[in-house]
Amino acid sequence: MSANFEAKKVVVQEITDKIKAAKSVVLVDYNKLTVKEVSELRSKCKKAGCEYKVYKNTLVRKAFNDLGFTDFDADLNGPTAVTFGTDETNAAKVMTAAAKDYDGKIVLKSAFVDNAYVDKKGIKALSDMPSREELIAKMLGSINAPATNIAGVLNNVVSGLVRVINAIAQQKQA
C-alpha cells in the first residue's frame, strides 16, 4: 500500500470518529468565501461549540458510507465544508446564520442528526429550535414556578394573619 493511501485511511478514520462523536454534522457549500470570512466563520463556530473543517468529498463520502449512510453521496460534490456540532442545533444555527450573514456565499446542503439524513429545510427547522440548555432552563423555570407561587401565597396568608392580630391588639389597647 502506498503512503498516500495510508494517509487517506487515517483521515477517513478521523472523519468517522468526528461524525460518531458529534451530535450533529452540517454540510455546506462555501465556494465564494474569502480567507478572512472563513477565519471569521471558524471563530463563530468555535464560540458556539462547533468545529468547521474542509475535507475532500471522497473522504467524507467514504466515512459516511463506512457508517452505513449513502444519503450524503449526492451532496458531496463541489466545495464542501463540514461543521461538527456538540448538540443537535448549534451547528445548524451557526451555518444558517452564516448563510444569511455572508449573502449566499454559504449554501446549506444537508445534515446528519440522530443518525438520520436531514435536508435543507430540516437544517432551517433545527436552527429555529431552542438549544438543549435553553430547553432545560425553560423546564426548570416551569417546575420552579408552582413552588414560587405557593411560597408567595403562604407568605401573603402569614402576613395577613399578622396584620389581623396586630389590628385586634390595637383595638384592645384603645
Side-chain angles (χ1 to χ4, degrees):
M1 302 263 173
S2 71
N4 189 29
F5 182 75
E6 291 300 321
K8 287 180 180 180
K9 280 177 61 176
V10 169
V11 174
V12 169
Q13 187 59 49
E14 173 188 326
I15 297 167
T16 304
D17 292 343
K18 287 184 182 205
I19 292 170
K20 287 179 183 177
K23 297 279 185 172
S24 63
V25 179
V26 177
L27 305 176
V28 297
D29 181 336
Y30 69 98
N31 189 27
K32 299 170 187 152
L33 287 178
T34 65
V35 173
K36 180 182 176 191
E37 291 169 334
V38 169
S39 295
E40 289 172 359
L41 185 55
R42 285 184 199 278
S43 177
K44 289 177 184 177
C45 285
K46 191 173 184 178
K47 286 178 186 172
C50 303
E51 183 181 6
Y52 178 90
K53 296 284 280 183
V54 176
Y55 293 107
K56 286 189 171 197
N57 287 332
T58 54
L59 301 180
V60 176
R61 186 178 297 115
K62 175 79 171 122
F64 274 116
N65 290 345
D66 287 352
L67 291 170
F69 299 99
T70 58
D71 298 332
F72 299 95
D73 290 354
D75 297 327
L76 291 167
N77 295 309
T80 305
V82 184
T83 307
F84 301 97
T86 54
D87 74 21
E88 288 79 3
T89 61
N90 64 349
K93 286 178 189 258
V94 172
M95 288 299 118
T96 302
K100 291 176 188 171
D101 294 345
Y102 296 113
D103 296 323
K105 291 182 179 181
I106 288 188
V107 178
L108 302 172
K109 288 186 172 187
S110 59
F112 180 69
V113 180
D114 285 335
N115 291 322
Y117 176 86
V118 178
D119 63 2
K120 291 178 192 179
K121 290 179 183 176
I123 296 171
K124 290 181 181 175
L126 279 171
S127 70
D128 292 335
M129 291 176 67
S131 69
R132 183 175 187 270
E133 290 78 19
E134 292 169 333
L135 288 173
I136 289 171
K138 286 181 182 180
M139 184 181 74
L140 290 175
S142 296
I143 290 171
N144 194 28
T148 303
N149 291 342
I150 289 172
V153 168
L154 291 175
N155 189 33
N156 287 340
V157 169
V158 170
S159 63
L161 183 60
V162 168
R163 276 188 248 122
V164 168
I165 292 172
N166 189 29
I168 293 172
Q170 287 179 357
Q171 268 183 345
K172 289 192 177 189
Q173 285 179 354

